[in-house]
């Protein structure tokens, strides 16, 4: 994964801005889908463009932030090609890739420290999907 799309609402803006700097410093290409304003806004307006870009292969994966992470996750997971997983510590960030193969990592900016957010991003980026029984389980997500 080299090209990462990122978005937030106003609640995630500060962490998003800092994470963009972190990712660029690590050599990733970053596409910013907003918001870039501290004004109150609607998370879905930024989730959908990010999801479209991931589905179209314009970015390799995505990171989304809002206050709880739930608004972003709910909007992103309306897209058939998206598996958006919420993480709140490093172990969950690892498992959301290893077991769920999340192609968008969702972070609850109001409930984790920035330091934890960076550690989760780093862990999720380097973790590989385990496949096997987890692929079978993922396949069933889109077969209600
Ligand atoms: C914004 O106040 C807040 O509702 C939003 O960031 C998010 O937590 C929604 O799920």
């Amino acid at each position: 994964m080299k090209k990462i799309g990122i978005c937030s609402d106003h609640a995630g803006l500060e962490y998003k801005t800092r994470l963009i700097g972190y990712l660029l410093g690590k050599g990733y290409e970053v596409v910013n889908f907003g918001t870039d304003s501290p004004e109150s806004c609607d998370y879905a307006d930024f989730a959908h463009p990010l999801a479209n870009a991931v589905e179209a292969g314009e970015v390799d994966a995505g990171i989304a932030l809002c206050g709880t992470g739930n608004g972003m996750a709910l909007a992103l997971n309306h897209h058939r090609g998206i598996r958006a997983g919420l993480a709140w510590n490093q172990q969950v960030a690892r498992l959301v890739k290893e077991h769920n193969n999340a192609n968008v990592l969702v972070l609850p900016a109001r409930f984790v420290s920035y330091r934890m957010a960076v550690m989760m991003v780093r862990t999720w980026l380097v973790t590989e999907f385990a496949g096997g029984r987890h692929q079978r389980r993922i396949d069933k997500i889109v077969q209600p």
Side-chain angles (χ1 to χ4, degrees):
M1 292 201 294
K2 263 319 207 184
K3 193 170 178 180
I4 307 297
I6 190 165
C7 77
S8 75
D9 69 358
H10 54 287
L13 174 61
E14 187 202 326
Y15 283 15
K16 176 172 70 73
T17 304
R18 295 171 73 181
L19 283 171
I20 290 171
Y22 169 79
L23 290 165
L24 292 173
K26 291 288 176 192
Y28 290 93
E29 201 178 326
V30 182
V31 181
N32 176 16
F33 289 89
T35 184
D36 293 311
S37 160
E39 295 300 311
S40 181
C41 63
D42 303 335
Y43 46 78
D45 291 341
F46 307 95
H48 293 311
L50 171 63
N52 289 334
V54 174
E55 286 184 309
E58 291 161 16
V59 294
D60 298 320
I63 297 169
L65 305 100
C66 66
T68 63
N70 278 316
M72 283 292 180
L74 289 164
L76 288 158
N77 280 317
H78 266 272
H79 293 250
R80 201 174 171 86
I82 299 298
R83 285 177 306 282
L86 180 62
W88 52 90
N89 65 33
Q90 253 181 300
Q91 194 179 5
V92 177
R94 175 176 62 78
L95 289 169
V96 84
K97 177 69 81 59
E98 202 174 290
H99 288 188
N100 311 116
N101 201 15
N103 52 9
V104 182
L105 176 68
V106 185
L107 301 177
R110 285 183 174 154
F111 295 91
V112 295
S113 65
Y114 177 69
R115 183 177 139 78
M116 177 56 71
V118 170
M119 290 194 300
M120 290 192 283
V121 165
R122 192 175 58 198
T123 299
W124 173 75
L125 284 169
V126 300
T127 301
E128 301 282 343
F129 175 49
R133 68 186 188 282
H134 300 294
Q135 184 61 56
R136 184 184 72 238
R137 290 165 185 171
I138 285 172
D139 291 343
K140 289 183 179 180
I141 294 172
V142 292
Q143 297 162 2

